[in-house]
Amino acid sequence: MVDFDEKLTRAETPEEIKKLKIWMFQEQVRIQAQKDELKELSHELQQERRALERERNALNTRIKAENKRFQDNETFMAKKQKIIEDAFRQLALDKKALECERLNFEYEKGRYKHQRMANAKNKHFDISSNDGIVFFRGIDNELALRKRYKELLKIFHPDNKCGDTNTLLRIQTEYESIKKEYYEV
């Protein structure tokens, strides 16, 4: 591109000089318009950059909050799982204890049956005089008596799998006789 000063010095007529000046003026106006347009674009770009920065910060804050909530949920779920596992362990222990108690009772029931049969053979058995306490052995107060009675009702109720009506009647008879002792005192 030829330098403008060179063109101006080469111009021979005032008309060429005038044309060159007009061209120069138009070129300066065009350049100024482009500068203004560039400034406006730069300003818009700066505004968009700030808006994007704010959006990014808001998104980062939201992501941090979501991550914290996720971690809190994970911790909560781990605690719930531990509680459930502990409950299952305790349930298994209770089940074993109940099975042991049932086996002990079955043993006592067999022993009692054997004793009753022996007494029936000897004809000395009287069901009203139950001198041997089978179901409430070791009970020494009214609260323990009621508690044992409720437990035995749960175990030997006829609606249960191991339930027995005759056993339940014997439990009630024994309970009533022992209960009278506590109420008479």
Side-chain angles (χ1 to χ4, degrees):
M1 180 174 204
V2 179
D3 190 69
F4 178 75
D5 290 334
E6 244 181 74
K7 281 187 177 182
L8 194 57
T9 52
R10 285 189 200 163
E12 296 175 1
T13 64
E15 186 119 336
E16 283 181 3
I17 293 175
K18 189 177 180 182
K19 276 185 183 178
L20 281 174
K21 284 184 179 180
I22 290 174
W23 176 83
M24 177 64 151
F25 177 74
Q26 288 173 342
E27 197 59 30
Q28 283 179 348
V29 168
R30 186 183 66 78
I31 290 173
Q32 187 62 39
Q34 282 183 344
K35 278 183 180 179
D36 292 343
E37 188 178 327
L38 280 173
K39 277 184 183 179
E40 189 176 316
L41 284 173
S42 174
H43 183 67
E44 287 175 8
L45 252 162
Q46 289 295 329
Q47 287 178 340
E48 284 183 27
R49 182 183 288 158
R50 283 188 222 115
L52 284 173
E53 190 68 30
R54 283 191 299 270
E55 284 180 30
R56 189 180 78 194
N57 289 340
L59 187 60
N60 284 340
T61 304
R62 196 175 332 141
I63 287 172
K64 285 178 185 176
E66 288 292 323
N67 284 341
K68 179 163 178 21
R69 189 169 31 170
F70 178 75
Q71 289 172 352
D72 290 346
N73 282 342
E74 286 291 317
T75 304
F76 180 68
M77 292 302 287
K79 286 179 182 177
K80 280 175 85 174
Q81 185 176 1
K82 182 167 178 8
I83 289 169
I84 290 171
E85 287 171 356
D86 291 345
F88 274 120
R89 268 190 233 106
Q90 185 62 41
L91 185 62
L93 291 174
D94 290 347
K95 186 177 177 182
K96 285 180 183 177
L98 185 61
E99 182 63 23
C100 287
E101 192 173 318
R102 187 188 68 77
L103 290 173
N104 284 337
F105 177 74
E106 289 295 323
Y107 173 76
E108 290 292 327
K109 185 178 168 184
R111 219 171 100 198
Y112 179 73
K113 224 182 216 183
H114 180 62
Q115 183 182 10
R116 193 175 77 191
M117 285 172 34
N119 286 340
K121 285 181 184 178
N122 296 334
K123 304 214 183 210
H124 297 295
F125 181 70
D126 182 14
I127 194 146
S128 62
S129 66
N130 190 5
D131 58 345
I133 298 174
V134 175
F135 298 105
F136 298 97
R137 187 177 306 156
I139 300 298
D140 57 354
N141 63 38
E142 185 181 352
L143 182 64
L145 176 70
R146 277 188 278 151
K147 185 176 179 184
R148 174 75 59 85
Y149 178 67
K150 287 180 182 180
E151 289 173 354
L152 290 170
L153 284 180
K154 286 179 189 176
I155 296 171
F156 295 104
H157 194 275
D159 291 343
N160 288 343
K161 191 188 304 184
C162 298
D164 182 20
T165 307
N166 293 332
T167 307
L168 188 64
L169 290 174
R170 285 189 293 201
I171 290 170
Q172 286 176 335
T173 305
E174 191 175 321
Y175 173 71
E176 292 297 326
S177 67
I178 295 173
K179 186 169 101 174
K180 286 177 187 175
E181 291 176 22
Y182 285 111
Y183 284 115
E184 288 175 0
V185 175

